[in-house]
């Protein structure tokens, strides 16, 4: 079954390759290529058949005949961004129970395609989708492979695996209580084409069950991500071999217990390049919530409405009309003051942090979340700008084991490239306005203008 799925997706990729792909030379901008190399001024990037062919400067690399020149003068040129924690089945609605019931049958045709195109036009060319019904994840990956819809390269977990699941959640969360169920669930995800296994409340599982999930996933070359809301989720997760922890804690505790920090330090001290421990803090929405309540104007941004039907838009708007009233967020003002300390603690442990946002949860829209997270990392949390860019480009590719094809603007890699007007190393929030988006060598957005004809062409395939 796995082989048939792979062959089907490969066939889709071949037949669905955008006909607009052409030889392009990106000329003039400052290249920040995603590696540890210094920025390259007056860069030239030759793209052929969707692959980066050569990289140089205007003085060292002449543009050959047959290449269309696209000026990037005055821009910083970057690898396409990764969103390392998205929920494409959600689009900011504040009532999960209502959403799962009302939009269950609209995911593949409306909600997920809208989420993906919003991410793409925001400069996100790769995304990890962490939690959705299995059949919907398979269907949306097939649509992307067939060229029916535009979007980022998509890595999926399918349903969460956990110890107990409420009835209304069972279509996108699976209850796993025995070792045999654990192995069967992981194999079912693998055979359906999922690259990731997602655990939640794994500390509530019998230890052999949680261990069986991780061991079976790793045997099948899948990555395992897990919630880190509770100290025991972290303690157990390190012991069983989790690859990537998610979030910065649900509680109002001022920081992580010292034994948890010691455990993380010990784990990071034993992992070289292939054994890195990754962490996706998803903290901007928590940190800036009081600001959003004070000024909710960003919720009116039209960008999140792209691809959604009028009744869906109206439903989302009414659900977030009073940001300060949402039950989902009532504890957040008490959590907000703890975020800075927790981030500083994580920095000291040596975990490799990735940019991810929980995009899609209440009031976190796919067209806004990633740049907001990056801006808070730099301007509020004191992260180095270059490190932040690499946490949104190079290191996510390493985490997923695809750094040979993605994550940097270097020869031989897939031409996923964005350009931002201005100095992004000084003003990270410039990433909110990505001027150019190239995916697989095809330009979807240039000079801030979306190629609407190209997007509409996907719907006709």
């Amino acid at each position: 079954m796995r082989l048939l799925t792979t062959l089907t997706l490969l066939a889709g990729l071949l037949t669905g390759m955008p006909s607009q792909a052409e030889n392009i030379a990106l000329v003039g901008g400052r290249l920040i290529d995603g590696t540890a190399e210094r920025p390259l001024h007056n860069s030239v990037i030759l793209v052929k058949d969707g692959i980066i062919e050569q990289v140089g400067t205007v003085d060292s690399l002449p543009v050959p005949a047959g290449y269309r020149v696209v000026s990037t003068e005055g821009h910083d040129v970057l690898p396409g961004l990764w969103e390392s924690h998205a929920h494409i089945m959600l689009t900011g609605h504040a009532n999960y129970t209502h959403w799962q019931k009302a939009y269950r049958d609209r995911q593949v045709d409306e909600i997920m395609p809208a989420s993906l195109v919003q991410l793409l036009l925001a400069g996100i060319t790769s995304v990890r989708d962490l939690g959705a019904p299995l059949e919907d994840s398979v269907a949306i990956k097939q649509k992307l492979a067939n060229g029916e819809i535009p979007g980022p390269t998509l890595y999926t977990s399918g349903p969460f695996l956990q110890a107990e699941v409420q009835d209304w959640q069972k279509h996108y969360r699976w209850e796993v209580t025995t070792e045999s169920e654990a192995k069967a669930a992981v194999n079912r995800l693998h055979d359906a084409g999922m690259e990731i296994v997602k655990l939640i409340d794994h500390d509530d599982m019998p230890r052999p069950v949680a261990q069986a999930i991780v061991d079976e996933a790793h045997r099948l070359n899948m990555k395992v991500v897990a919630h880190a809301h509770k100290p025991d989720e972290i303690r157990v997760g390190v012991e069983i071999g989790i690859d990537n922890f998610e979030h910065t804690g649900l509680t109002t505790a001022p920081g992580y217990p010292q034994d948890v920090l010691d455990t993380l330090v010990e784990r990071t001290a034993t992992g070289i390049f292939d054994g890195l421990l990754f962490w996706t803090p998803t903290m901007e929405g928590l940190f800036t919530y009081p600001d959003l309540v004070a000024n909710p104007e960003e919720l009116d941004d039209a960008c999140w409405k792209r691809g959604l039907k009028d009744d869906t838009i109206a439903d989302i708007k009414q659900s977030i009309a009073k940001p300060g009233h949402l039950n989902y967020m009532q504890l957040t003002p008490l959590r907000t003051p703890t975020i800075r300390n927790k981030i500083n603690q994580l920095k000291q442990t040596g975990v490799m942090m990735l940019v991810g946002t929980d995009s899609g949860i209440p009031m976190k829209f796919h067209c806004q979340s990633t740049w907001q997270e990056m801006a808070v990392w730099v301007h509020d949390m004191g992260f180095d700008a270059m490190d932040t860019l690499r946490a949104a480009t190079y290191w996510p590719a390493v985490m997923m084991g695809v750094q040979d094809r993605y994550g940097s603007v270097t020869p031989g890699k897939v031409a996923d490239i964005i350009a931002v007007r201005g100095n992004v190393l000084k003003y990270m929030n410039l990433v909110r306005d990505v001027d150019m988006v190239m995916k697989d060598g095809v330009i979807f957005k240039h000079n801030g203008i979306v190629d609407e004809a190209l997007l509409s062409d996907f719907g006709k395939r």
Side-chain angles (χ1 to χ4, degrees), residues 46 68 148 165 182 200-201 204 244-245 336 348 357 359:
L46 300 183
R68 178 165 72 92
E148 298 174 41
V165 179
I200 180 172
D201 295 333
D204 294 333
N244 189 168
F245 287 104
T336 297
Q348 296 302 313
T357 68
S359 182

Side-chain angles (χ1 to χ4, degrees), residues 310-378:
D310 289 343
D311 61 331
T312 306
I313 295 169
D315 194 10
I316 295 169
K317 288 179 68 174
Q318 65 80 27
S319 79
I320 58 175
K322 296 284 187 179
H325 288 187
L326 302 184
N327 290 334
Y328 182 88
M329 305 296 289
Q330 289 306 302
L331 196 61
T332 300
L334 300 178
R335 297 166 64 192
T336 297
T338 74
I339 298 298
R340 196 187 302 273
N341 182 49
K342 290 173 182 174
I343 291 296
N344 287 332
Q345 287 181 311
L346 289 175
K347 283 182 180 181
Q348 296 302 313
T349 66
V351 296
M352 183 63 68
M353 281 192 267
L354 306 178
V355 170
T357 68
D358 229 0
S359 182
I361 66 169
M363 301 183 295
K364 293 306 298 175
F365 296 113
H366 300 295
C367 59
Q368 299 173 332
S369 296
T370 309
W371 77 259
Q372 290 173 341
E373 182 88 7
M374 294 172 72
V376 166
W377 274 41
V378 174

Side-chain angles (χ1 to χ4, degrees), residues 86-325:
H87 294 285
I88 64 171
M89 71 171 180
L90 305 174
T91 57
H93 198 287
N95 186 327
Y96 283 163
T97 307
H98 165 78
W99 182 265
Q100 294 297 340
K101 181 179 180 180
Y103 295 90
R104 178 71 185 89
D105 297 328
R106 295 168 67 162
Q107 289 291 334
V108 175
D109 293 330
E110 179 192 356
I111 306 303
M112 289 178 163
S115 299
L116 290 172
V117 75
Q118 289 175 22
L119 286 161
L120 179 63
L121 297 180
I124 314 301
T125 58
S126 296
V127 61
R128 295 190 335 194
D129 183 49
L130 302 182
L134 182 58
E135 60 271 24
D136 291 354
S137 294
V138 171
I140 204 67
K141 287 167 81 80
Q142 191 67 65
K143 280 179 173 284
L144 283 167
N146 289 344
E148 298 174 41
I149 59 172
T153 301
L154 181 62
Y155 304 89
T156 51
S157 70
F160 301 37
L161 303 185
Q162 59 190 93
E164 296 181 5
V165 179
Q166 298 180 47
D167 285 342
W168 67 273
Q169 298 174 320
K170 287 185 176 179
H171 61 290
Y172 71 99
R173 297 175 182 245
W174 291 352
E175 196 168 287
V176 178
T177 59
T178 68
E179 292 178 64
S180 61
E181 289 178 354
K183 293 179 180 179
V186 173
N187 276 272
R188 184 179 172 192
L189 295 172
H190 175 265
D191 290 344
M194 305 298 104
E195 300 87 358
I196 305 167
V197 173
K198 181 178 181 180
L199 287 172
I200 180 172
D201 295 333
H202 50 275
D203 55 315
D204 294 333
M205 292 178 174
R207 183 65 58 86
V209 174
Q211 189 69 65
I213 290 172
V214 174
D215 290 347
E216 189 68 5
H218 286 168
R219 185 183 73 81
L220 296 170
N221 294 317
M222 301 174 76
K223 303 296 183 180
V224 183
V225 306
H227 276 200
H229 287 316
K230 299 174 289 181
D232 275 349
E233 284 182 304
I234 304 170
R235 295 183 181 106
V236 173
V238 170
E239 291 177 7
I240 64 179
I242 295 299
D243 300 304
N244 189 168
F245 287 104
E246 311 290 318
H247 309 307
T248 324
L250 281 173
T251 71
T252 58
Y256 296 103
Q258 188 60 48
D259 75 290
V260 167
L261 298 173
D262 292 341
T263 298
L264 293 175
V265 170
E266 184 175 359
R267 169 64 178 79
T268 58
T270 59
I272 313 299
F273 192 81
D274 291 334
L276 292 169
L277 178 61
F278 293 92
W279 199 295
T280 314
T282 70
M283 52 81 188
E284 178 275 330
L286 304 176
F287 187 74
T288 62
Y289 175 68
D291 298 323
L292 179 64
V293 172
N295 179 20
E297 190 62 33
E298 70 183 58
L299 301 180
D300 294 333
D301 192 326
C303 70
W304 66 261
K305 301 172 186 177
R306 179 181 282 270
L308 298 174
K309 296 180 179 178
D310 289 343
D311 61 331
T312 306
I313 295 169
D315 194 10
I316 295 169
K317 288 179 68 174
Q318 65 80 27
S319 79
I320 58 175
K322 296 284 187 179
H325 288 187

